Amino acid sequence: MPTTSAPTGTTVTARGLTKRFGLHTALNDLTLDIGNGVTGLLGRNGAGKTTLLRCLATDLDPGAGELRIFGRSAATTADRTTIRRQLGHLPQNPSLYPHFTAFGLLDYLAVLKELGGRRARHDEVRRVLAAVALYDRRHSRIRRLSGGMRQRLALAGALLGDPRLLLLDEPTIGLDPEQRIRFRDLIAEFATTRTAVLSTHQIEDVAALCTRVLVLDEGRLVFAGTPAELTAGARGRVWSLPERPIGGTTTWRSPDGRYRVLTPNSTEPPQGYEGSAEPVAPTLEDGYLILTGSAGAAAPDRP
Ligand SMILES: Nc1ncnc2c1ncn2[C@@H]1O[C@H](COP(=O)(O)OP(=O)(O)OP(=O)(O)O)[C@@H](O)[C@H]1O
């Protein structure tokens, strides 16, 4: 496994972390460290990203291996309570009570988070509402908010109390481009002194935001490093061709009519296109596709 860069500081330490659901192994012997900054979790559907985030949130008991967060053991009841007080979790498909107002829901969550003193608690609710640009909608009932606004409200809930560790499961789903940029700014600022872990299929978010990337494949950690290191795996393996080749893997037909082609196993252009292939600078997505072997799956069957 290519691991060239280490995280700064250590918030999470996992050794041999394994989670089984019946006969299925969702996390398989994961050993990793996560420190300050934004760590992106990538992987195909079912790779184990949500399961890992749920273990980090101490919502799921891994069953095997060691998990320490802030130096405390997630397996010990007293330590788990201490960990929970210092983390914020935006789960996949968060459920919000539709009859609450935005302010009312966050105030309720703030009470559960033991943010004491009415005035200080309300100030904190106003702070997180402003952070996700929902302050003007604070009196709106949740059922009247759009899908993207609900997602931002759930993010505000995770930010309550200024946690040391923020766990975000597909946080930018449903956000418009302006709000997505705002989200990146918010999380990048947060992670200058704290730790954020986000699971996503939005590779542009990882490229724009993450200081480190972890890639899971069928429950195993197959990459830990920087986005630049993941991208480098595709160097010399991306081409622009005048037609769809038989060899290589076509990612898509670009608007200029040329075909963007990956050669996962070679730094040579596809056979027969030596004269017409133009090398293309790889993206993080190319590095990810080549690493996970998904590049082969990207090509449609030829008739
Ligand atoms: N509560 C559960 N009971 C049984 N199997 C589960 C449970 N939760 C997850 N799994 C299985 O564990 C594997 C990993 O699931 P997980 O939700 O962690 O994947 P993921 O990487 O987050 O996927 P996606 O990108 O689709 O959200 C899958 O095969 C899933 O079916």
Side-chain angles (χ1 to χ4, degrees), residues 21 24 26 43-52 54 92 170 201:
F21 292 110
H24 181 72
R44 287 185 252 220
N45 291 137
K49 303 179 298 296
T50 293
T51 304
L52 176 58
R54 289 186 60 201
Q92 203 172 25
E170 303 200 23
H201 293 293

Side-chain angles (χ1 to χ4, degrees), residues 127-190:
R127 180 187 76 83
V128 296
L129 276 167
V132 299
L134 278 180
Y135 187 75
D136 290 348
R137 299 299 301 263
R138 64 193 179 283
H139 299 308
S140 299
R141 302 259 169 217
I142 290 168
R143 65 170 184 268
R144 297 194 180 281
L145 298 179
S146 72
M149 288 176 189
R150 287 179 206 188
Q151 184 72 357
R152 280 150 54 200
L153 185 61
L155 173 62
L159 289 167
L160 276 171
D162 205 15
R164 285 171 68 190
L165 171 61
L166 192 54
L167 304 168
L168 306 168
D169 204 340
E170 303 200 23
T172 54
I173 275 194
L175 298 197
D176 64 39
E178 187 187 335
Q179 289 303 330
R180 182 176 287 191
I181 302 295
R182 193 184 178 99
F183 164 83
R184 288 179 189 167
D185 187 31
L186 180 66
I187 301 305
E189 276 298 321
F190 171 92

Side-chain angles (χ1 to χ4, degrees), residues 82-107:
T82 308
I83 294 167
R84 286 175 178 170
R85 287 200 168 110
Q86 301 178 77
L87 62 81
H89 184 201
L90 171 66
Q92 203 172 25
N93 310 316
S95 48
L96 307 171
Y97 304 112
H99 300 295
F100 274 65
T101 63
F103 189 99
L105 177 77
L106 292 176
D107 191 40

